[in-house]
Amino acid sequence: MDLAVIWFIAISVLWIGYFVLEGFDFGVGTLMPFMGKRDSVDRRVAINSIGPVWDANEVWLITAGGATFAAFPAWYASLFSGFYVPLFIILVALILRGVAFEYRGKRDDSTWRLWWDRAIFFGSAAPALLWGVVFANVVRGVAMDGDQIVTASLADLFNPYALLGGLTTLSLFALHGAVFLSLKTDGPVRTRARAAALRTACVAVPAAAAFLLWTQLAHGPAWTWPLVALAALALVGGVAAARARREGTAFGLMVAAILAAVITLFGSLFPNVLPSTTDPAFSLTVENASSADYTLTIMTWVAVVFLPLVLLYQGWSYWVFRRRVTGATVTGETVTRGSGA
Amino acid sequence: MEALELARWQFGVTTIYHFLFVPLTIGLSFIVAVLQTVWYRTGRHEYLQATQFFGKLFLINFAMGVVTGIVQEFQFGMNWSEYSRFVGDVFGAPLAMEALLAFFLESTFIGLWIFGWHRLPRAAHLACIWLVAIGTNLSAYFILAANAWMRRPVGFEVNPENGRAELNDIWAVLSNDQAWSTYLHTVSAAFITAGLFVVCVSAYKLWRNQKHGDTGIRGVTPPKGDFALFRGTLKVGLVFTLVAGVIVAVSGDHQAKLAAQYEPMKLAAAEALWETEEGAAFSAFAVGDTEARYNPIDVTVPNILSFLATGEFDGEVHGMNNLQAAYEAEYGEGDYIPNVFVTYWSFRLMMGLGMAGVAIAAIGLWLTRGRDRTPSVHGRLTRWFYPLAVLALPAALSANIFGWVLTEMGRQPWTVHGYLLTAASVSPGVSLGTVALSLTGFTLIYGVLAVVEVGLLVKYIKAGPSHLVPDLEKDGDESKIPHFSY
């Protein structure tokens, strides 16, 4: 197969990894204020459920960005300069969120924690929404001239299709986070997370269904139809499993739903990487935006050797922290090595 | 004003800010790993305290380094789209490798280290902090190889069809002499910074103990153990600084020779040398006239510049006027002279402040020579040593910054030396207002976070280690080792 096509697939794999993993920690951050009162142990339980993993989850984004820079320089250049303002807001959000996780507990002061809670909420909800807006626009295409410079205004980026995309990712990640919380915590947070899952599902299921159908009808090739169906089934099945308190199954089905949805988006985009609505001839494609074969070959070897290794040790870290987080774990009451939660 | 100017300011502001945290992350990860190793090997309580105390400070700093780093990767595409388009094929590869090989390692194992105090066997937990240290150092290599390529572009060809730089030898990019030389220089400078951070904190604690006999918190007397601990860490910091100081000097000398070879204009500007000379003198203090292109005042040390640049006292060093003429002949009309004032003074401030930091460490090591001696047993000397040790940290941090200002400003007007001008690198589709928005936004948030970060560091330094780690020796219950959490 053509190396550029392989790298298109590799980059979609990185985005799948990012949305599956950071998707739930965005969701946890968004729902955290609803998991307990101000200053409560319950909020700490929610935050600590993603504590050991959120940072490595975010590296999937950095790797996707770096891989795009290396494999499709023109795509990276046009996309990042063309989506300047949404990316700027995402950066601000990620800065505040990362610092908030680390600093929130470092002062015993309820006003201090309240402000960091706000940062965690904004820092999680804003990127969850904006990634949907960005990806919907990428699939739909933007105004772009013959020099591959995006000429779309900020208002153009907030078109109905993109807003639906944003609503989809925001609600879907919230649902994903709720399911994760009910799987990874115990006590009152687990109960509230289940309730939150059922409530967010009322938005996420119709929004995702509408967005994926719109995507499929307007941009999708025939082969992504089964994926749309799979995403819908997995999503509905996930909600049903959450309702039936089968938390592990629910989480697995949510992962499947996000996976199928992201493949649908990338499948609908292919062979373009950034279509131009000004003139289809100006579109950036897998062929005209990619690096030369030498770079792609080197990158392929690096990815083949190191990506499995990353999956191995990242998977191990999830195994180490497999136990449910409870109020007692975060306050350190019953912690003993080897037997503690 | 144009978007280009603001984009440059944004790159300067965000990069300088990012690099306040990076050297501490690189060096402190190593120092904390060493402290924890000693605890692992000896089981001595004060090393556990030192590990957790400096570990906390390390984490407060680490968070800032991580989040400001994401901005760095994104802004190449956001503000410098034409640069990205031209270099992506070559420059993107080390960036992607950095993420895949280093960032995943660092971020996964930092999570395991923070939350794994009671969940991992001791040896595995110790391995985590070592993997974090290896990850940070690996990441430094890839990003510096990318930066070195901009100063000495190798291993590529410009494709005449699409006008882009295309990689044809990745090994040349990774083994670039500019890359490993810059790596040695930058990482040893990072070790100096982290060493002086430990010196600064330890000296401050000893100073307060001596001056007030308290911990900095009203009414709380320091446990006796704190005293022994900070004597120990002071020494650890001093030794780290001095060893790294030797490497920084040797690699710095090599950097000057590489500049003479690959970036003669930068060296000439750093020395305010207008005319090509044999046996060129090192300028100690100059006032230049950049319009008329000469120095009305110049205090010099004969032959030293030639020696630094070529290894021979009468070697030839190119001057800016000669280079300007040569560049015009090669690249066409234009101004190829960087901002001489900034380049000249950042060079001097980098060297001066860096040397001052290392000198303070040397003095400290002399004062604490022999067994168990601290400056406090040296009577009057202590009065000036403690504040000096505290000031050594800002000196080192500033030296790092001036080093980067010299590197980046001295490379102007180029982004990729000889191939791409900065003016041709900026994003054509991004307006002045948009860059103004992000520049203002980042500056404000970075400013607020700086205040918050320093406040937290001070709080934890004042609280001290015994506040963090109870005395385990009394009851010997390992489960009382505090675990970190959010």
Side-chain angles (χ1 to χ4, degrees):
Chain A
M1 206 193 296
D2 185 24
L3 276 169
V5 176
I6 288 176
W7 270 92
F8 180 82
I9 296 169
I11 284 165
S12 42
V13 168
L14 293 170
W15 281 106
I16 290 169
Y18 180 62
F19 287 138
V20 164
L21 294 172
E22 185 115 302
F24 70 71
D25 69 46
F26 280 152
V28 170
T30 308
L31 294 174
M32 183 270 297
F34 310 103
M35 287 297 114
K37 290 201 181 68
R38 261 178 75 169
D39 238 358
S40 60
V41 174
D42 296 340
R43 287 193 179 186
R44 282 189 64 196
V45 168
I47 295 167
N48 276 277
S49 74
I50 53 168
V53 294
W54 72 268
D55 190 3
N57 291 349
E58 207 154 286
V59 177
W60 285 86
L61 168 66
I62 300 171
T63 310
T68 309
F69 197 173
F72 298 98
W75 186 12
Y76 172 79
S78 299
L79 180 70
F80 280 61
S81 59
F83 288 72
Y84 196 102
V85 175
L87 289 178
F88 165 66
I89 299 170
I90 287 173
L91 285 173
V92 169
L94 294 182
I95 289 171
L96 291 175
R97 185 178 113 98
V99 174
F101 286 139
E102 208 58 62
Y103 288 3
R104 182 186 186 274
K106 290 207 161 44
R107 251 183 222 288
D108 193 14
D109 173 348
S110 68
T111 317
W112 168 271
R113 279 192 287 263
L114 178 67
W115 277 100
W116 289 122
D117 283 354
R118 288 175 179 159
I120 290 173
F121 174 76
F122 164 77
S124 305
L129 174 91
L130 288 172
W131 283 126
V133 171
V134 169
F135 269 85
N137 276 304
V138 170
V139 172
R140 175 181 171 271
V142 288
M144 184 164 63
D145 66 19
D147 294 325
Q148 303 171 340
I149 291 157
V150 174
T151 52
S153 72
L154 184 58
D156 295 343
L157 298 182
F158 290 90
N159 54 71
Y161 173 68
L163 286 173
L164 181 60
L167 181 66
T168 303
T169 46
L170 177 62
S171 58
L172 196 62
F173 291 163
L175 171 57
H176 191 33
V179 170
F180 177 82
L181 270 176
S182 66
L183 174 68
K184 287 295 297 178
T185 64
D186 216 341
V189 178
R190 186 179 178 185
T191 317
R192 281 177 209 136
R194 178 177 170 270
L198 300 181
R199 238 172 275 154
T200 47
C202 299
V203 183
V205 174
F211 178 63
L212 283 180
L213 269 180
W214 191 340
T215 304
Q216 180 63 42
L217 292 171
H219 312 283
W223 66 267
T224 52
W225 269 113
L227 288 162
V228 174
L230 177 66
L233 280 176
L235 189 57
V236 173
V239 176
R243 204 182 136 83
R245 294 193 169 79
R246 299 183 58 161
E247 290 145 348
T249 313
F251 186 73
L253 286 168
M254 285 306 300
V255 170
I258 293 175
L259 185 110
V262 181
I263 300 178
T264 305
L265 287 180
F266 276 88
S268 306
L269 177 60
F270 187 82
N272 288 320
V273 292
L274 190 60
S276 168
T277 54
T278 312
D279 181 345
F282 299 158
S283 293
L284 284 169
T285 66
V286 166
E287 289 312 316
N288 72 19
S290 76
S291 284
D293 275 0
Y294 178 82
T295 299
L296 296 177
T297 310
I298 299 282
M299 294 292 299
T300 305
W301 280 109
V302 173
V304 164
V305 174
F306 287 97
L307 201 57
L309 195 66
V310 167
L311 288 171
L312 209 66
Y313 64 68
Q314 205 176 12
W316 180 66
S317 85
Y318 277 88
W319 172 252
V320 169
F321 300 108
R322 66 195 175 280
R323 290 201 174 84
R324 288 177 189 270
V325 180
T326 65
T329 3
V330 295
T331 51
E333 274 161 20
T334 59
V335 182
T336 40
R337 184 138 60 91
S339 63
Chain B
M1 185 171 301
E2 283 181 70
L4 169 68
E5 259 174 89
L6 289 191
R8 288 186 64 190
W9 271 105
Q10 181 176 314
F11 196 86
V13 168
T14 53
T15 309
I16 285 175
Y17 191 77
H18 179 55
F19 211 75
L20 290 171
F21 308 103
V22 170
L24 286 172
T25 298
I26 293 175
L28 279 179
S29 60
F30 230 85
I31 293 178
V32 172
V34 167
L35 291 171
Q36 191 173 342
T37 306
V38 177
W39 173 61
Y40 177 79
R41 300 283 297 258
T42 65
R44 280 168 62 188
H45 180 63
E46 64 262 33
Y47 282 99
L48 171 63
Q49 284 190 318
T51 305
Q52 290 222 333
F53 176 70
F54 283 104
K56 262 277 188 316
L57 302 179
F58 162 68
L59 288 176
I60 291 168
N61 168 78
F62 183 84
M64 295 289 284
V66 168
V67 296
T68 53
I70 312 175
V71 176
Q72 296 306 101
E73 191 199 52
F74 275 45
Q75 78 175 324
F76 288 121
M78 289 167 73
N79 278 336
W80 305 100
S81 69
E82 298 320 286
Y83 169 80
S84 304
R85 228 181 278 279
F86 178 74
V87 304
D89 203 303
V90 192
F91 188 88
L95 255 61
M97 289 181 196
E98 182 186 24
L100 200 56
L101 274 70
F103 288 157
F104 270 122
L105 196 70
E106 199 180 18
S107 60
T108 305
F109 286 97
I110 195 80
L112 281 158
W113 188 72
I114 298 174
F115 290 87
W117 279 92
H118 293 273
R119 263 167 273 207
L120 292 169
R122 269 198 198 183
H125 185 253
L126 174 64
C128 290
I129 189 70
W130 276 108
L131 287 168
V132 172
I134 292 168
T136 56
N137 279 273
L138 208 58
S139 113
Y141 194 84
F142 286 115
I143 193 65
L144 290 173
N147 178 272
W149 181 83
M150 297 163 74
R151 289 176 281 129
R152 188 202 165 202
V154 288
F156 76 106
E157 228 171 327
V158 177
N159 182 338
E161 270 174 51
N162 56 24
R164 301 191 311 117
E166 289 184 351
L167 186 65
N168 57 29
D169 187 355
I170 183 75
W171 185 243
V173 173
L174 293 178
S175 66
N176 191 345
D177 52 3
Q178 278 282 28
W180 60 259
S181 173
T182 306
Y183 176 78
L184 277 183
H185 195 58
T186 312
V187 168
S188 49
F191 274 83
I192 291 179
T193 315
L196 289 176
F197 178 85
V198 173
V199 167
C200 168
V201 171
S202 308
Y204 171 79
K205 294 299 283 183
L206 293 170
W207 189 17
R208 284 214 66 107
N209 264 332
Q210 191 205 37
K211 211 158 83 177
H212 304 295
D214 69 14
T215 50
I217 302 169
R218 195 185 298 269
V220 182
T221 10
K224 268 168 81 186
D226 275 21
F227 218 61
L229 185 155
F230 286 115
R231 276 186 213 176
T233 53
L234 178 68
K235 199 122 187 184
V236 169
L238 291 170
V239 170
F240 254 86
T241 307
L242 213 65
V243 172
V246 174
I247 306 174
V248 116
V250 174
S251 58
D253 174 65
H254 189 238
Q255 288 273 285
K257 292 186 169 57
L258 291 182
Q261 205 177 337
Y262 305 125
E263 295 176 288
M265 185 64 102
K266 179 187 283 179
L267 185 73
E271 276 298 317
L273 182 72
W274 294 100
E275 306 298 334
T276 298
E277 282 177 35
E278 282 172 17
F282 180 86
S283 166
F285 178 87
V287 176
D289 182 341
T290 49
E291 293 290 311
R293 294 184 171 178
Y294 82 108
N295 303 325
I297 304 173
D298 199 356
V299 182
T300 60
V301 188
N303 295 73
I304 293 299
L305 176 58
S306 279
F307 183 71
L308 284 177
T310 65
E312 282 164 31
F313 283 105
D314 53 1
E316 187 185 57
V317 183
H318 296 285
M320 285 181 279
N321 290 338
N322 309 63
L323 288 164
Q324 168 68 23
Y327 284 8
E328 284 207 334
E330 193 173 349
Y331 305 115
E333 229 171 275
D335 184 2
Y336 297 97
I337 299 178
N339 185 322
V340 183
F341 178 81
V342 171
T343 314
Y344 179 89
W345 284 109
S346 58
F347 183 39
R348 267 140 203 84
L349 286 165
M350 171 192 73
M351 279 204 299
L353 291 167
M355 283 176 180
V358 177
I360 291 170
I363 294 169
L365 216 51
W366 171 253
L367 292 177
T368 56
R369 71 193 179 277
R371 243 184 111 253
D372 254 353
R373 284 201 212 159
T374 67
S376 63
V377 300
H378 283 261
R380 296 178 54 215
L381 287 179
T382 61
R383 269 184 225 148
W384 54 264
F385 181 70
Y386 288 130
L388 208 60
V390 171
L391 284 176
L393 178 63
L397 288 169
S398 316
N400 291 331
I401 298 311
F402 287 118
W404 277 113
V405 169
L406 166 66
T407 306
E408 298 294 294
M409 291 290 285
R411 195 192 56 231
Q412 301 303 323
W414 303 102
T415 43
V416 183
H417 188 87
Y419 290 91
L420 188 70
L421 291 166
T422 306
S425 303
V426 75
S427 301
V430 177
S431 70
L432 175 70
T434 310
V435 190
L437 169 80
S438 62
L439 173 59
T440 315
F442 284 130
T443 309
L444 283 177
I445 289 169
Y446 281 12
V448 171
L449 289 181
V451 174
V452 170
E453 202 248 4
V454 172
L456 270 186
L457 285 175
V458 169
K459 181 202 151 172
Y460 276 90
I461 292 167
K462 282 193 168 170
S466 24
H467 166 79
L468 285 173
V469 192
D471 200 344
L472 299 178
E473 275 163 333
K474 278 189 200 129
D475 44 20
D477 181 1
E478 258 194 30
S479 71
K480 295 234 175 82
I481 296 174
H483 67 312
F484 292 177
S485 72
Y486 288 152

